[in-house]
Amino acid sequence: MDLDIISNSPEETIELGRKIGSQLKGGEVVAVCGALSSGKTHLIKGIAAGAGAKDSRQVNSPTFVIVNEYTGRVDIYHIDAYRLNSIGEFEMIGFDDFCYPRSVVLIEWADKIESALRAIDYIRIELFHSGQTQRDIHIKNTPDYMAL
Amino acid sequence: MQTKSNSINILGIETSCDETAAAVVANGRTVKSSVIASQTKLHEKYGGVVPEIASRAHIEKIYPVITEAIEQADISKDGIDAIAVANQPGLTVALMVGVTAAKTLALAWDKPLIAINHLHAHLQSAMLATQNLQLPTPLEVPTKSLSARQGDLLLTGPAVALIVSGGHTCLYDCQSPLKLKLLGSTIDDAAGEAFDKVAAILKLPYPGGPAIEETAKKGNPNAIKFPRSMLGPDSLDFSFSGIKTAVLYYCRGQDMKGEDKVDSMSGQQIADIAASFQAAVIDVLVKKTKLAAERIGAKTVLLGGGVAANNQLRTALQQMCDSTAPPKKLLIAPKQYCTDNAVMVASLAYYKFKAKLFADLTLEPKAQSE
């Protein structure tokens, strides 16, 4: 299912993420797109918390380290493609190894590597600036078991 | 230089992110060699840290880098007492290269293996400022503070340590090289990442840290009042994503609907933004470090990590340390040991060697710090 949601604050964006994360079963890939400061890390903070990450304060931007790993109900891989320049690079960081039934893979700046996901049934979330703290959030291809 | 028979020589290996590095350090403080296969030129060409290149370069460079470190140290494998490697935190595929090399050498040469936390090693860089008399240090260290016995930690009382880099921003309660307690860290962007992303907004070259610092020299740090995110009066955590947004909005309008004004800005306007941004980040770093120092009663402050190379930060922390009663001692990592290197790995490993804290050959890389 596709839906559009308006968030009025970073807190609301985190809360939306939490709702999504709490309904993830494992085996999902979530591609998060959007410009600088559109709230990608906040959304993923919420998703990770919803998926049971023990300390969501530890959910921070992996721009430099490329991949953060958290333990929750499922194993959580938080990838940041900001500094990746090709699909080959994305594959080199071990993407295939991160995908298994008891893991969820959350990808920031996913538009940079989106063609690598072509064969995968992934949830796509794009955030748009629509006001100082307001964001339009477009969610595509949510699974049947997810109600938002 | 001849190796004294009683000295402990450790080969350190570092591959956690961008750099492939190896070093030989005696007794945790005498640097016999330090080799860093800097990939900065490659990265600049491709606009950032490029893992494919980084990962390949780690594999291609690890053997020549280790060989070079051993040759420069003028030491044989018999003179090496242990192999140390940073196995966490970092990019798993990158850490794996160093860990595999270290395990292979430990097995082939029958040497003990020592696992090192990369972040804890950055603190050790700051301690090197006083421990190694041969190191050039930007700080004037009173001679009497160097008179402690060989191998002893030269800290006065409890110490608070600030590690600030592209990937990390953390405060530690540092009781000894091996006794560290995390007091706070970033909940979103690291300070160095904010420097890089703001440099990108201002269309300054990569790497962003030095570019912002250079540009800021001509700017007025009070020109724009960017927000200082403190996360509440008692928090020792950091948040630098809000200031990145504030700079973005300043350049693009509050709802991102406006024109990108950067191209039409004067050099002075860009410099004012860079200086005001830098001042805001440093303000937060210094205030949080001061708060942490007060909380644990620290008499010493340690500073390490890539952003520790920033002269404004060094000066501001020195002023903070001088202004408290009694003044605190500030130990800053020598500039060549602020960014990732293997000296800090081999240096910290000395304390683990003395404490007989060895890893076995099942050692694995870990993405997150334990």
Side-chain angles (χ1 to χ4, degrees):
Chain A
M1 202 178 77
D2 297 356
L3 70 164
D4 293 348
I5 290 170
I6 290 172
S7 162
N8 290 299
S9 66
E11 292 71 31
E12 280 188 31
T13 302
I14 291 176
E15 200 44 49
L16 172 67
R18 197 188 297 270
K19 226 181 207 179
I20 295 168
S22 65
Q23 297 177 69
L24 293 174
K25 292 180 169 177
E28 295 97 341
V29 172
V30 184
V32 182
C33 311
L36 206 64
S37 289
S38 58
K40 298 179 294 300
T41 306
H42 278 122
L43 183 77
I44 285 182
K45 207 178 240 303
I47 297 177
K54 279 174 203 133
D55 184 357
S56 68
R57 284 190 323 166
Q58 286 180 9
V59 179
N60 52 30
S61 169
T63 292
F64 266 75
V65 290
I66 317 283
V67 185
N68 280 348
E69 298 176 19
Y70 320 114
T71 309
R73 278 186 292 110
V74 287
D75 297 336
I76 304 160
Y77 295 95
H78 178 185
I79 303 175
D80 190 329
Y82 181 75
R83 302 198 294 174
L84 305 185
N85 283 318
S86 77
I87 304 307
E89 291 158 15
F90 180 65
E91 285 159 355
M92 282 289 287
I93 62 169
F95 174 67
D96 288 351
D97 299 333
F98 301 151
C99 299
Y100 46 88
R102 280 199 44 77
S103 77
V104 298
V105 181
L106 315 172
I107 311 168
E108 287 194 54
W109 295 95
D111 39 331
K112 297 197 72 170
I113 51 83
E114 204 157 2
S115 61
L117 307 176
R118 226 175 285 161
I120 300 170
D121 188 22
Y122 62 96
I123 303 168
R124 186 182 200 281
I125 306 179
E126 186 157 8
L127 300 97
F128 297 90
H129 288 265
S130 56
Q132 188 166 2
T133 59
Q134 198 182 64
R135 302 289 183 267
D136 284 346
I137 303 176
H138 297 183
I139 308 177
K140 285 187 176 157
N141 196 31
T142 56
D144 308 336
Y145 49 81
M146 192 174 283
L148 297 172
Chain B
M1 196 189 350
Q2 281 295 308
T3 310
K4 284 182 201 156
S5 58
N6 61 348
S7 70
I8 303 297
N9 296 300
I10 296 181
L11 170 66
I13 298 170
E14 156 68 43
T15 61
S16 65
C17 190
D18 313 3
E19 304 288 4
T20 317
V24 177
V25 178
N27 297 330
R29 61 197 177 90
T30 306
V31 180
K32 302 195 128 193
S33 66
S34 175
V35 178
I36 301 170
S38 180
Q39 299 161 12
T40 303
K41 282 209 169 95
L42 272 177
H43 288 160
E44 196 174 1
K45 191 175 162 194
Y46 291 94
V49 173
V50 185
E52 183 178 24
I53 290 168
S55 178
R56 260 186 209 157
H58 281 311
I59 293 168
E60 283 168 5
K61 288 175 181 164
I62 189 77
Y63 179 75
V65 163
I66 290 172
T67 306
E68 176 77 19
I70 290 169
E71 277 173 10
Q72 274 186 20
D74 196 18
I75 201 168
S76 70
K77 69 175 165 51
D78 297 333
I80 291 172
D81 296 283
I83 315 289
V85 63
N87 78 315
Q88 62 175 293
L91 180 62
T92 306
V93 291
L95 288 166
M96 183 69 85
V97 176
V99 168
T100 305
K103 279 157 65 170
T104 306
L105 288 177
L107 179 67
W109 293 352
D110 193 23
K111 307 285 182 190
L113 179 67
I114 298 171
I116 294 294
N117 181 308
H118 170 86
L119 291 175
H120 297 178
H122 269 301
L123 300 189
Q124 188 61 26
S125 294
M127 295 179 201
L128 277 165
T130 56
Q131 283 182 329
N132 193 340
L133 287 163
Q134 294 163 354
L135 282 178
T137 158
L139 288 177
E140 282 302 318
V141 178
T143 316
K144 60 177 170 23
S145 73
L146 292 165
S147 62
R149 280 171 293 130
Q150 176 178 314
D152 281 354
L153 176 61
L154 297 167
L155 289 180
T156 313
V160 68
L162 174 67
I163 299 305
V164 58
S165 67
H168 307 279
T169 306
C170 319
L171 279 166
Y172 285 92
D173 175 354
C174 177
Q175 289 159 31
S176 81
L178 301 181
K179 237 179 147 189
L180 300 164
K181 192 177 149 223
L182 185 67
L183 296 171
S185 56
T186 182
I187 62 162
D188 42 52
D189 298 357
E193 177 184 342
F195 270 83
D196 252 32
K197 287 191 169 160
V198 165
I201 294 168
L202 298 178
K203 300 177 185 171
L204 297 173
Y206 180 90
I212 295 266
E213 184 177 6
E214 187 56 34
T215 308
K217 279 182 189 165
K218 289 161 258 148
N220 171 9
N222 300 313
I224 306 144
K225 187 78 182 164
F226 286 126
R228 274 82 167 148
S229 176
M230 303 305 284
L231 302 170
D234 301 324
S235 174
L236 292 176
D237 286 330
F238 299 89
S239 168
F240 292 111
S241 104
I243 187 166
K244 170 189 73 184
T245 309
V247 174
L248 186 71
Y249 284 175
Y250 187 83
C251 297
R252 298 268 188 96
Q254 290 301 321
D255 52 5
M256 291 287 288
K257 298 265 157 62
E259 291 281 298
D260 183 352
K261 288 180 266 183
V262 172
D263 288 330
S264 57
M265 280 179 188
S266 68
Q268 187 59 49
Q269 283 173 301
I270 299 278
D272 284 347
I273 297 172
S276 300
F277 159 78
Q278 179 175 260
V281 172
I282 289 173
D283 205 17
V284 172
L285 291 171
V286 171
K287 280 189 177 134
K288 296 269 179 183
T289 306
K290 189 179 181 191
L291 179 63
E294 281 166 4
R295 191 162 303 169
I296 65 168
K299 296 188 169 122
T300 304
V301 173
L302 308 176
L303 174 65
V307 181
N310 182 293
N311 289 310
Q312 295 299 319
L313 174 60
R314 296 165 93 98
T315 306
L317 263 185
Q318 186 66 63
Q319 284 168 351
M320 184 276 281
C321 288
D322 291 346
S323 71
T324 57
K328 298 179 214 321
K329 189 160 119 189
L330 176 64
L331 305 180
I332 306 182
K335 279 201 176 177
Q336 70 268 40
Y337 302 129
C338 284
T339 48
D340 292 351
N341 65 85
V343 167
M344 63 187 197
V345 173
S347 176
L348 178 54
Y350 172 72
Y351 297 95
K352 283 201 154 183
F353 184 92
K354 297 259 282 189
K356 296 189 167 57
L357 294 170
F358 300 122
D360 62 37
L361 294 173
T362 62
L363 183 70
E364 299 263 5
K366 287 197 170 66
Q368 304 299 106
S369 195
E370 278 181 330

